[in-house]
Amino acid sequence: MRIAVFGSTGGVGRHFVNQALEKGMAVTALVRSPGKLAGLPEGLTQVTGDVTDEEAVHHTVAGADAVVCALGAPLLDKSGIRATGTASIIRAMKAARVNRLVSLSSIGAGDSYPLIPGLYKYFLGPLMMERMFADHEAQEAEIAASGLDWIIARPGPYRDGARTGTYAHGVTADVPDRKLKFHINRADVADFLIHQLSDNTYLHKPAWLTS
Ligand SMILES: NC(=O)c1ccc[n+]([C@@H]2O[C@H](COP(=O)([O-])OP(=O)(O)OC[C@H]3O[C@@H](n4cnc5c(N)ncnc54)[C@H](OP(=O)(O)O)[C@@H]3O)[C@@H](O)[C@H]2O)c1
């Protein structure tokens, strides 16, 4: 399987690339700083560029069986790069006839907002997470309108730790008591993304994901 990855040098992206290579997948990653992906297993092709560079994005996506978007930005970033970058990826996918997009978003985006604890809803959210949620919601809207085969992963807050392979996931309606364990290991988020490359349980759905 050939996978194109955006955000490969990030916290989750690097775990994803590592796990995909270990599974024998061929990975093409768009990177702004190629040195950041040193020391990974065989099978990685790097394309140097920015996600706003349409030619570099097209080059990354061409020939892929699926695309993973793990783009991110600092909480107070105003660029909206998750949404604009994802729009650029979608254009390239359509031009290259690549159909499957698996993208990171965040728990709290869209109809999952009621799932986040009061600390986030009433304090951290208004203080520092509004731009991030707005960017993810614009990103999710781009994906939902894309006409592609898509899956959106909405993880809880990240923490370090090994891949356990055992974590909870579902759609918003699957949490009747609105109570979730909240954090999740980056390595498990990557594990979930790997599964979404071939599992259709959440096709055309946003899925929350926690430990
Ligand atoms: N942190 C959390 O607890 C949490 C929880 C749920 C969801 N999320 C979401 O999960 C996503 C991934 O988070 P993360 O912590 O793994 O991300 P991260 O470590 O901040 O990494 C972001 C990635 O995006 C790349 N990127 C940013 N702007 C780019 C551009 N213009 N062109 C090309 N690449 C660009 C970065 O490349 P460089 O290395 O070149 O900068 C990096 O690879 C984010 O969207 C975040 O909102 C985070």
Side-chain angles (χ1 to χ4, degrees):
M1 198 176 210
R2 289 163 300 175
I3 314 297
V5 187
F6 298 85
S8 59
T9 54
V12 169
R14 190 182 168 91
H15 279 288
F16 175 84
V17 171
N18 194 37
Q19 290 180 27
L21 292 172
E22 280 177 352
K23 286 185 183 300
M25 296 177 185
V27 177
T28 302
L30 181 85
V31 292
R32 295 192 290 188
S33 314
K36 282 191 179 180
L37 282 185
L40 289 169
E42 294 283 304
L44 175 66
T45 302
Q46 300 190 51
V47 176
T48 304
D50 191 284
V51 74
T52 56
D53 173 352
E54 302 263 339
E55 201 178 316
V57 174
H58 188 85
H59 188 44
T60 307
V61 159
D65 298 305
V67 173
V68 167
C69 175
L71 288 171
L75 281 179
L76 298 179
D77 181 81
K78 293 181 184 170
S79 68
I81 195 65
R82 298 171 182 84
T84 53
T86 300
S88 167
I89 293 166
I90 290 168
R91 281 193 294 278
M93 289 179 68
K94 287 181 167 176
R97 298 181 186 274
V98 178
N99 268 329
R100 194 172 187 95
L101 174 61
V102 178
S103 181
L104 278 178
S105 175
S106 175
I107 203 162
D111 70 358
S112 69
Y113 193 72
L115 304 182
I116 63 175
L119 173 69
Y120 290 83
K121 216 178 285 175
Y122 304 116
F123 182 64
L124 294 177
L127 202 63
M128 58 171 78
M129 298 171 82
E130 283 182 346
R131 284 190 188 130
M132 180 271 291
F133 281 136
D135 195 14
H136 274 309
E137 283 169 7
Q139 175 187 39
E140 290 195 0
E142 293 282 356
I143 294 169
S146 67
L148 299 171
D149 290 345
W150 56 266
I151 290 163
I152 291 171
R154 291 171 168 171
Y158 301 155
R159 63 184 178 197
D160 291 331
R163 184 182 75 83
T164 67
T166 53
Y167 43 84
H169 47 86
V171 293
T172 297
D174 294 340
V175 192
D177 62 0
R178 297 287 184 262
K179 281 194 179 144
L180 291 171
K181 284 184 196 168
F182 208 44
H183 290 78
I184 181 154
N185 294 356
R186 290 178 179 82
D188 277 334
V189 178
D191 180 85
F192 183 78
L193 297 177
I194 296 262
H195 281 93
Q196 305 321 306
L197 297 172
S198 53
D199 187 320
N200 285 336
T201 305
Y202 296 117
L203 190 62
H204 298 145
K205 291 176 191 160
W208 54 261
L209 177 63
T210 69
S211 57

